Each structure stands twice: as structure tokens, then as C-alpha cells.
Amino acid sequence: ARHIYKAVVSTQSTGDLVKCRIQVDPDKYKSLGNGFKVSIKEGGMKALTLGWAPTLVGYSMQGIGKFGFYEAFKNLYSGILGEENAYLYRTSMYLAASASAEFFADIFLCPMESVKVRIQTTPGWETTLRAGAPRIMQEEGINGFYKGLSPLWARQIPYTMMKFACFERTVELLYKYVVPKPRSDCNKSEQLAVTFVAGYIAGVFCAIVSHPADSIVSKLNANPGGGVASAAKELGFAGMWKGLGPRIIMIGTLTALQWFIYDSVKVAFRLPRPPPPEMPESLKRKLAAQQ
């Protein structure tokens, strides 16, 4: 799983670099293919790895926080709702738990995101985390790391709500309508395949709902003196959707692999892997009595 994760981070960093450059300078980087071509022409293949360190550190901390807090908040809200309501309103519960988890996870991610975007989009700026982070602190203080937190929340919270709720419901639907046998009869490889497919589907929707805010975050970090409103105005509606294609590819693959790794770790360490939710017997009896 560790080697897969390294490959995921490397792939994400490369795709993210081109995506950020398309968002910040669409006149120069006109498309995914053109973005790769121009980046390689100007800096060689090495240029595609810019920002790998803050990507690795930031998304590792955020991922641990996101998945860990999600499980904790899901259990908390499930206990508050009770067994029957937790089933009836499970989608709302997934949305609330994931939003709560992402709120805290983004506090871990934001400093690294600030360094990463400047490395990738500001010509002549620092090229490493160990040089970039002290420079931001020296020039802007702690606020330099967190000036993008509000738009980051605007990007990541809807993204994560979609990521978890869509994944949970897609798994449920795949076992109900696509997989020809119950989850309990599937072997571990078959279960992990369902996890990967559901993760990819969730990732596509994640990329779409969070892309405008992602464009604003990139613009803000590339232009330290600007604000959210000015960045949105400068981008315009069409500009907020620049780079969506590469982001769908990147986020779809990343989300699928994240869920695959997360589920694989649970399998390897024999951690609880609850099956898709089923209607409680008490609720079945109530519905039967009403008929």
C-alpha cells in the first residue's frame, strides 16, 4: 500500500501542476496536452515534479485526518440519531460527517497547499518545500499559510461531502443492482474491485462540484495580494472551469486509489469493514404494521 500511495502522490503532483498552471495562466497553458508540452519544454521532465514534497506532506496529513475524523463523526451522529433514523437519513448523516471531518482536515492541508501552488505557478519562486515555507513565513507571517483557508473549505468541504456520500451510496447500489451476489459471498478481491469502481465514480462528481473553488484557490496563491472576490472576478465564470478535464482524470483516479488503499489497509489489519446498511428489523416491523 505504501508503494501505491507514493505512485498516487507522484501522479497527482504531476497532473496538479499542469491543472494549476491552466487555471492561473490559460493563455499560455491552453489545454492538458499543451500544458505538459510547455512545462517540459521550459523545465524538462524534472519540472513536472515541482511541488511533490508539499503535496506528499499536505495530502498525507489531510487524508489521515479526513478518513479518521469521518469514521469518528459517523459513529457520533449515528449514535445521536439512533438505529432507525441513522438508516432512514443515512445520506444526510454521510454528508454531515464528511463535512465535519473535512473542516478540521483542511487546517492541516492549507499551509502545504499554499507552498505547493506558489512553487508550481510562480516563475522564479522557490522550488522546494524547505525553501518555500520559510519564505512565506518571513514575507507574510502565519497568515500567508492560511489566507486560502476559506476558499479551500469552499473547495474541499463540498468535494469531501460528495466523495463520502457518493461512495457510500454507490457501493450500496453496486451490491444491490450490479454485483450478482451478496457482499458476504464476495471474496476480498471482488470487494476491493467494487471499492475501486465506486471510488472512481465518486471522484468524478467530486471534481465537478469543487472545481470553481479550486480555480479560485490556485489564483489566490499565485497572486498573494488579491482576495477571493477579486480572484473570482478576474477568472470569470468560464475561467473557473478551466482545467476541469485534467482535474476529473486526476481526482477520479486519486479518489479510487484512496478508497482502494483505505479498504486494503482495513483488510490487511483485519479492521471492521461494515457491509452496506440494511433496514433495521424494528423499522421493518413498523412498516409492515402500517400496511
Side-chain angles (χ1 to χ4, degrees), residues 170-188:
T170 301
V171 167
E172 192 176 332
L173 292 173
L174 287 175
Y175 279 115
K176 188 174 182 179
Y177 296 110
V178 179
V179 181
K181 54 186 175 181
R183 180 178 181 269
S184 57
D185 295 338
C186 296
N187 59 38
K188 294 295 188 290

Side-chain angles (χ1 to χ4, degrees), residues 42-73:
E42 291 184 342
M45 292 298 294
K46 186 178 180 181
L48 297 179
T49 65
L50 284 174
W52 72 267
T55 299
L56 174 63
V57 175
Y59 282 93
S60 294
M61 293 190 300
Q62 185 221 27
I64 292 170
K66 179 188 303 189
F67 282 93
F69 284 134
Y70 175 70
E71 296 289 353
F73 279 114

Side-chain angles (χ1 to χ4, degrees), residues 48-268:
L48 297 179
T49 65
L50 284 174
W52 72 267
T55 299
L56 174 63
V57 175
Y59 282 93
S60 294
M61 293 190 300
Q62 185 221 27
I64 292 170
K66 179 188 303 189
F67 282 93
F69 284 134
Y70 175 70
E71 296 289 353
F73 279 114
K74 188 168 73 167
N75 288 335
L76 174 64
Y77 297 152
S78 177
I80 292 171
L81 290 171
E83 185 181 28
E84 293 181 5
N85 285 330
Y87 174 80
L88 289 172
Y89 304 108
R90 58 192 182 281
T91 301
S92 297
M93 182 180 69
Y94 300 148
L95 292 169
S98 55
S100 302
E102 189 62 40
F103 178 87
F104 292 102
D106 284 347
I107 296 172
F108 302 145
L109 172 62
C110 195
M112 295 297 103
E113 184 78 359
S114 179
V115 178
K116 180 206 71 163
V117 172
R118 295 185 200 196
I119 287 174
Q120 293 178 339
T121 63
T122 307
W125 208 72
E126 309 295 347
T127 58
T128 63
L129 173 60
R130 64 178 178 271
R135 179 171 173 177
I136 292 175
M137 176 62 75
Q138 182 179 9
E139 294 178 354
E140 302 175 53
I142 195 69
N143 184 58
F145 292 107
Y146 285 100
K147 64 174 294 182
L149 183 57
S150 294
L152 186 63
W153 275 330
R155 180 189 82 185
Q156 287 297 124
I157 290 178
Y159 166 92
T160 300
M161 291 170 73
M162 183 64 71
K163 175 177 181 172
F164 283 90
C166 184
F167 173 80
E168 298 269 21
R169 294 310 300 261
T170 301
V171 167
E172 192 176 332
L173 292 173
L174 287 175
Y175 279 115
K176 188 174 182 179
Y177 296 110
V178 179
V179 181
K181 54 186 175 181
R183 180 178 181 269
S184 57
D185 295 338
C186 296
N187 59 38
K188 294 295 188 290
S189 296
E190 291 169 335
Q191 292 179 17
L192 289 173
V194 172
T195 295
F196 184 87
V197 171
Y200 206 102
I201 292 170
V204 171
F205 286 102
C206 287
I208 294 170
V209 301
S210 62
H211 193 73
D214 181 66
S215 297
I216 292 173
V217 170
S218 295
K219 195 70 174 177
L220 271 176
N221 284 317
N223 299 287
V228 175
S230 61
K233 184 177 180 180
E234 186 177 346
L235 284 167
F237 181 79
M240 290 185 191
W241 295 98
K242 291 283 187 181
L244 179 59
R247 191 157 185 265
I248 285 177
I249 296 170
M250 181 186 75
I251 296 298
T253 305
L254 175 67
T255 304
L257 289 173
Q258 280 180 335
W259 277 113
F260 183 84
I261 293 168
Y262 182 61
D263 217 18
S264 297
V265 170
K266 283 188 170 184
V267 170

